[in-house]
Amino acid sequence: MAKKRKQEPEPEEEEEAVSSEEEQQQQEDSDDENISTEEEDEVAEPAIIPAPVIRSSITSDGRYHNKQRLLLLSSRGVTARYRHLLEDLRTLIPHSKKESKLDVGKNYSNGSAGGGYGAAVNEIAEVRGCHTALFLECRKKGQDGYLWLGRTSHANSAYKEDDSGNISKKQLMIAGGPSVKFHITNIHTMDELKMTGNCMKGSRPVLSFDKAFDTLDHLKIVKHLMVDVFGTPRGHPKSKPFVDRVMGFYYADGKIWVRNYQIMEEAATTAKEAHAQKKLTGQTQATSLIEIGPRFVLNPIRIFRGSFGGQTLWQNDEFVNPNAIRALEKKKKGEEYVRRKGAERQRKRRKEAIVVPEDPLAHVF
């Protein structure tokens, strides 16, 4: 009996021990939660929010739907530099069609399409089925070069529907347009530069435009024309399904600077370099740009509503004609010549005015 009486208080002691253990465990859990929340707060501060993925609104199935073509030609009297530039552009634009040099008099006219080079280019584009045209015009025996970019009358053609709903022949609109006239300077061809960059012939480029092309109104028109001219259509028979170069168009000093770069991806040689590169850019490969060429500068002169003419939509008031610049230089040289000759005449008159009086003792000895 005594033994049983001694064993009765043991359950109460066990319950007290269990309750104390549960309290300690709850306190430890609360401490762990506080520590975890503090750690999460510390980690959450330097966390970088990833940029939203910009998805294209245009989905392509990879087929050749955009069947626009570019007519690339020049006028008579181009120099070797302009001719080499056209050859470089032909290699970079696989959807271009080559045409011989254009020799048209000013009296050329084709109905209401206008006269001169514009009517001839539109007529050739209609025959060759080209939607855009790049025309290089040279004046003053190759001293001045003017680059024309524009959509031809063939690009604005539409299909006419009959009363029954059947689609008939294509009806050409003579107006066409818009078109832009540039003064091209600072030309450097691929052979002249001898850059280390290289790309696959016929590859499709990434067109990179400056921020000014989205803010200035006249540059918005220029941007659309640049995309039509230099952007290779997807699935073109002469193009390659690769994107290994970038064409950059930058607006500075009121001019458009055109550059062509190769996209170079270099893998890291060591694991340490790969880790540092991945930490810096998020990729193990380093991407860089190497210039290929050609390079040139375009100074916009005027934007026309029609194809190579028509109503003026925008005009560059700061543009100075190269003829006026050369005339000022010649006038400056002429003024220097006049000043030099006037100084010679004054020096001659001063010499004549100096008279030495006769010495009376000169003939004594």
Side-chain angles (χ1 to χ4, degrees):
M1 295 295 291
K3 291 181 181 179
K4 290 181 181 179
R5 288 175 182 175
K6 290 180 181 177
Q7 292 176 359
E8 287 175 0
E10 290 179 2
E12 294 178 358
E13 293 176 0
E14 289 178 0
E15 289 176 359
E16 291 177 358
V18 169
S19 63
S20 63
E21 289 179 358
E22 289 177 356
E23 289 176 359
Q24 290 179 0
Q25 187 174 2
Q26 289 177 358
Q27 187 175 2
E28 289 177 359
D29 293 339
S30 63
D31 294 338
D32 292 339
E33 288 177 359
N34 293 331
I35 293 169
S36 63
T37 54
E38 290 177 358
E39 290 178 355
E40 288 176 359
D41 293 336
E42 292 176 358
V43 173
E45 289 178 359
I48 299 173
I49 300 173
V53 179
I54 301 174
R55 297 182 179 179
S56 177
S57 59
I58 302 173
T59 56
S60 176
D61 56 357
R63 296 181 181 179
Y64 183 36
H65 294 290
N66 184 13
K67 297 185 179 182
Q68 63 176 0
R69 291 170 289 275
L70 170 69
L71 179 65
L72 202 151
L73 74 165
S74 66
S75 63
R76 285 284 177 185
V78 293
T79 59
R81 184 180 296 274
Y82 294 116
R83 189 170 63 251
H84 292 165
L85 175 65
L86 287 177
E87 282 297 327
D88 293 343
L89 292 178
R90 287 191 187 103
T91 57
L92 294 177
I93 305 174
H95 64 284
S96 63
K97 286 193 173 184
K98 184 178 179 181
E99 186 66 26
S100 59
K101 295 177 183 178
L102 190 62
D103 188 8
V104 177
K106 293 183 180 180
N107 296 326
Y108 182 88
S109 178
N110 184 14
S112 60
Y117 288 114
V121 171
N122 282 318
E123 186 177 351
I124 295 172
E126 182 181 349
V127 173
R128 301 294 299 271
C130 297
H131 302 78
T132 54
L134 188 150
F135 177 60
L136 184 60
E137 181 184 2
C138 288
R139 296 179 182 177
K140 298 293 180 180
K141 297 181 179 179
Q143 294 182 7
D144 303 334
Y146 297 95
L147 186 71
W148 289 80
L149 295 180
R151 297 185 65 84
T152 61
S153 58
H154 182 72
N156 293 345
S157 59
Y159 288 94
K160 186 178 179 181
E161 293 186 2
D162 298 336
D163 297 335
S164 59
N166 297 325
I167 297 175
S168 62
K169 278 187 176 182
K170 215 184 281 186
Q171 185 179 10
L172 293 176
M173 296 175 63
I174 297 176
S179 58
V180 188
K181 183 180 181 181
F182 300 98
H183 180 227
I184 184 168
T185 56
N186 298 339
I187 299 173
H188 298 282
T189 60
M190 282 197 245
D191 295 336
E192 181 185 359
L193 290 174
K194 295 183 178 178
M195 294 289 185
T196 57
N198 194 6
C199 65
M200 182 174 291
K201 185 176 181 180
S203 61
R204 301 177 67 230
V206 176
L207 301 181
S208 174
F209 290 92
D210 195 3
K211 186 178 179 181
F213 285 88
D214 295 329
T215 57
L216 300 177
D217 293 334
H218 69 280
L219 290 182
K220 292 179 182 179
I221 301 176
V222 175
K223 179 181 177 180
H224 285 288
L225 289 175
M226 293 284 188
V227 171
D228 292 339
V229 171
F230 295 100
T232 304
R234 185 186 180 98
H236 192 273
K238 292 184 180 179
S239 66
K240 303 295 188 299
F242 299 100
V243 179
D244 60 351
R245 65 186 181 92
V246 177
M247 286 201 73
F249 303 91
Y250 311 101
Y251 186 73
D253 298 333
K255 302 176 183 178
I256 301 173
W257 305 69
V258 183
R259 298 291 184 267
N260 186 27
Y261 298 99
Q262 175 194 1
I263 302 174
M264 176 67 71
E265 294 184 355
E266 296 180 358
T269 56
T270 60
K272 185 176 180 180
E273 292 180 0
H275 180 70
Q277 184 67 27
K278 187 173 182 180
K279 188 176 180 181
L280 182 63
T281 61
Q283 297 179 356
T284 57
Q285 293 182 346
T287 305
S288 59
L289 298 178
I290 303 174
E291 188 172 357
I292 305 172
R295 58 165 67 169
F296 50 91
V297 179
L298 300 175
N299 188 5
I301 302 174
R302 189 175 293 187
I303 299 177
F304 298 97
R305 185 176 182 179
S307 178
F308 297 91
Q311 182 184 359
T312 300
L313 300 179
W314 177 84
Q315 185 175 359
N316 188 3
D317 297 331
E318 298 179 357
F319 174 73
V320 180
N321 198 329
N323 290 329
I325 296 174
R326 282 193 295 267
L328 290 175
E329 291 177 354
K330 289 182 180 180
K331 186 178 180 180
K332 188 177 179 181
K333 290 181 180 179
E335 290 176 354
E336 292 178 356
Y337 176 77
V338 170
R339 285 197 298 269
R340 188 172 67 250
K341 288 299 181 181
E344 289 179 1
R345 287 192 296 269
Q346 289 180 2
R347 187 167 60 251
K348 188 177 180 180
R349 282 196 298 268
R350 282 198 304 269
K351 285 182 180 180
E352 291 176 355
I354 297 173
V355 178
V356 180
E358 259 187 61
D359 188 6
L361 300 176
H363 301 287
V364 174
F365 299 101

